[in-house]
Structure formats: C-alpha cells, structure tokens
Amino acid sequence: MKIITVKASKNYNITVTNGFSDFALSVMPLIKGEKVAIITDTNVAPIYFDAVKNLITNKMVEKIVIHAGEESKNATTYIEVVNNLSNLGFTRKDTVIGLGGGVVGDLAALVASTYMRGINYIAMPTSLLSM
C-alpha cells in the first residue's frame, strides 16, 4: 500500500493498493454515515461489486448501476442517480463510492459534490485512465 498526499486548497490522500487486501486499512476509515451507495456500471458491477460490498462492514450498502459507456454522461442519468439516493434516504452524513472507470468516476463525483450540497465521496477507479 502506498499513500500519496496531494497538497491542494484542501489536502487529501490517494491510496494505491494491489487488489482489495488493504481495504480495511485504506477505505473503511474513509466511509462516513450509516449508508454507502456504490455507483458502478454494467461492465464493472458483475466483476467487482460483490467483492467491495462484502468488505464494507456495519453499513447498509446500496448498488446503483448505470449503463457502461460515454452515453451515460448526461443529465438524465445524473438525475436518476440523485433520485435513487433521495429515495433510499441518503443524507449528507452518508458516503458515495464511484466504482469503475472514467464515466462512473466523473458521474459519481458530480453526484457526490452536488447531492445535498456535498456528500462524502470515495473514488475506486478500475481502469488506468480513470486513475
């Protein structure tokens, strides 16, 4: 596990791991609230969703799956995801995880930054480009 600190207007850490072996040490401390929404796509969900969900302990985990590909970067998909969070009762105290490539990362980050004026966000990129 390697931790890189980014010095910006608000410092933050980037944790680089090989697989999920360091999940409990690197990701669990970042999860806030009682609920976790994992936003992923139709390509990534069948491969990684269950593995990530099973590592998250003592939290209610919800899956939000979008269609894979650039065509999902649109207002309709954004509104659907925000509506899902609202219908599931997510608050500003909860957490969104973007599990996937660039489209998922972009969408999940936008949702997290705007839902209730900001909700905790964790990026879990699954492609080199999205990293």
Side-chain angles (χ1 to χ4, degrees), residues 7-100:
K7 297 183 188 291
S9 58
K10 182 179 179 186
N11 293 350
Y12 61 93
N13 290 334
I14 297 173
T15 304
V16 181
T17 66
N18 183 12
F20 297 119
S21 60
D22 294 319
F23 190 90
L25 291 173
S26 60
V27 178
M28 283 303 297
L30 303 175
I31 295 176
K32 296 178 182 170
E34 298 300 318
K35 299 176 189 161
V36 177
I38 298 176
I39 301 173
T40 188
D41 68 25
T42 53
N43 288 340
V44 174
I47 301 168
Y48 294 116
F49 176 78
D50 287 337
V52 173
K53 180 183 179 184
N54 292 337
L55 292 169
I56 298 173
T57 56
N58 301 320
K59 306 287 181 187
M60 184 178 77
V61 179
E62 299 288 347
K63 176 167 63 172
I64 300 175
V65 180
I66 64 169
H67 182 72
E70 285 289 321
E71 60 273 5
S72 289
K73 277 189 183 181
N74 60 61
T76 301
T77 303
Y78 166 81
I79 291 168
E80 288 172 0
V81 172
V82 168
N83 283 339
N84 273 322
L85 291 176
S86 179
N87 292 338
L88 293 167
F90 274 73
T91 70
R92 292 179 71 198
K93 295 178 182 178
D94 296 315
T95 298
V96 166
I97 295 177
L99 175 65

Side-chain angles (χ1 to χ4, degrees), residues 97-117:
I97 295 177
L99 175 65
V103 173
V104 167
D106 291 348
L107 178 66
L110 177 64
V111 167
S113 67
T114 58
Y115 182 73
M116 295 189 157
R117 294 183 327 224

